Amino acid sequence: MSDANAIIREIEDAYRHYIEVFNRSDAAGFVGCYAHPHTMLSGEQGMVVVNTEADHHRVYQGMAAALEKSNWGRSEIDRLQTWPYSKSLAQLVADVTRYKKDGSVLEKLRATYTFRNEKGAWKILAFSLIEAPFSGPGISR
């Protein structure tokens, strides 16, 4: 079980880094947290494949503009749940609160990520937003 615990710590550290670069609006750092190609899955759009870092930078710019318009200030992790599938593949479910610049709550969300270890670094291979009132996998909110 120590291998699993070590993998969980590594993935959760990678996710904390992801939120840190996201909060700094570090586009290159954010894009660097993902494998290329990777997928974004939703009920509305189905599967969107982001093939290259350049494509991902364009996606990031649109996301950052939408967050700026919403008066987003920062995101904080409320809870992480992680399940290793192998030494190089795992799932993470994150409960996150997004705050406005004035400190009030913008939204609470839950998302699931598939991580893959690529050359010694854990990268996001797939992302899905879990829409309320659905809880998705793991412990309910």
Side-chain angles (χ1 to χ4, degrees):
M1 194 62 168
S2 64
D3 282 347
N5 290 334
I7 290 169
I8 290 168
R9 276 192 307 278
E10 290 173 7
I11 292 166
E12 291 181 356
D13 286 348
Y15 187 79
R16 285 183 189 92
H17 171 73
Y18 169 74
I19 292 295
E20 175 194 333
V21 297
F22 184 72
N23 283 337
R24 285 195 325 247
S25 299
D26 176 353
F30 180 83
V31 169
C33 292
Y34 282 82
H36 295 93
H38 69 271
T39 62
M40 296 183 291
L41 307 168
S42 74
E44 290 76 40
Q45 294 181 322
M47 180 171 57
V48 174
V49 178
V50 180
N51 286 303
T52 67
E53 288 185 26
D55 292 339
H56 199 178
H57 276 282
R58 284 189 288 282
V59 169
Y60 174 83
Q61 289 169 350
M63 182 183 64
L67 285 171
E68 181 66 29
K69 187 175 181 180
S70 72
N71 203 29
W72 171 82
R74 72 184 191 288
S75 296
E76 290 186 11
I77 300 166
D78 299 320
R79 178 176 33 192
L80 299 176
Q81 301 171 79
T82 306
W83 299 271
Y85 294 161
S86 70
K87 289 183 178 185
S88 61
L89 190 68
Q91 179 181 9
L92 177 139
V93 173
D95 293 323
V96 172
T97 301
R98 288 183 175 168
Y99 293 92
K100 293 181 179 182
K101 291 177 183 173
D102 68 6
S104 64
V105 173
L106 175 62
E107 66 181 332
K108 290 187 169 281
L109 60 90
R110 175 174 272 198
T112 182
Y113 301 81
T114 302
F115 277 82
R116 181 171 179 266
N117 193 305
E118 293 185 357
K119 301 175 186 170
W122 289 97
K123 302 283 185 168
I124 299 167
L125 190 59
F127 162 81
S128 298
L129 189 61
I130 301 167
E131 296 181 18
F134 302 102
S135 64
I139 300 169
S140 297
R141 300 182 224 198

